[in-house]
């Protein structure tokens, strides 16, 4: 079921991967349409999320909802799903980031229920 839900992200123009990983960096489930090392992505997403959450705590900014990394060849969107899992979505340049954010918000409960 989780794989099917993640597959819906690949139907969005420009999305090349959707990965659910544990906070330990190990991949729980992934779908890929392109050349993405999901194991490396899971590990780096976990590290980046942890660092950003520590910064938020230090500055008193509350809980993290999403993290957008804007890169030359496309964005990576990271978002916590629970205390133990996160999602990373990789896309090409010129993707509609707002659409990805909308679909993630709309499907968050379905994703967590499938975990």
């Amino acid at each position: 079921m989780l794989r099917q839900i993640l597959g819906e992200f690949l139907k969005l123009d420009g999305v090349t991967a959707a990965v659910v990983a544990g906070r330990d960096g190990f991949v729980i489930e992934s779908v890929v349409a392109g050349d993405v090392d999901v194991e490396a992505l899971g590990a780096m997403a976990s590290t980046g999320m942890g660092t950003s959450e520590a910064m938020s705590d230090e500055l008193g900014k509350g809980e993290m909802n999403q993290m957008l990394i804007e890169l030359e060849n496309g964005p990576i969107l990271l978002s916590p799903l629970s205390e133990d899992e996160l999602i990373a979505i990789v896309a090409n340049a010129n993707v509609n980031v707002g659409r990805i954010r909308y679909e993630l918000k709309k499907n968050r409960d379905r994703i967590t229920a499938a975990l």
Side-chain angles (χ1 to χ4, degrees):
M1 181 66 168
L2 180 57
R3 186 172 182 77
Q4 179 183 353
I5 297 167
L6 294 178
E8 293 174 19
F9 287 99
L10 292 185
K11 294 176 183 176
L12 301 175
D13 286 337
V15 173
T16 58
V19 176
V20 172
R23 294 298 183 111
D24 58 5
F26 289 105
V27 173
I28 296 168
E29 188 62 84
S30 65
V31 293
V32 179
D35 187 24
V36 176
D37 181 345
V38 294
E39 299 302 327
L41 175 60
M44 290 183 282
S46 175
T47 300
M49 181 80 67
T51 302
S52 296
E53 287 175 330
M55 181 172 48
S56 175
D57 288 344
E58 183 66 27
L59 297 173
K61 292 294 188 179
E63 290 186 32
M64 176 188 293
N65 296 317
Q66 289 183 347
M67 181 173 140
L68 178 64
I69 306 164
E70 293 185 19
L71 304 165
E72 180 179 356
N73 294 318
I76 301 172
L77 184 89
L78 304 176
S79 184
L81 294 171
S82 70
E83 282 189 25
D84 299 319
E85 294 94 12
L86 62 91
I87 187 167
I89 300 173
V90 180
N92 293 324
N94 300 320
V95 71
N96 183 340
V97 174
R99 180 68 191 267
I100 297 171
R101 293 179 68 185
Y102 170 77
E103 292 297 330
L104 180 55
K105 184 176 181 179
K106 183 175 86 172
N107 289 293
R108 182 179 306 280
D109 290 340
R110 289 178 62 214
I111 294 168
T112 56
L115 290 168

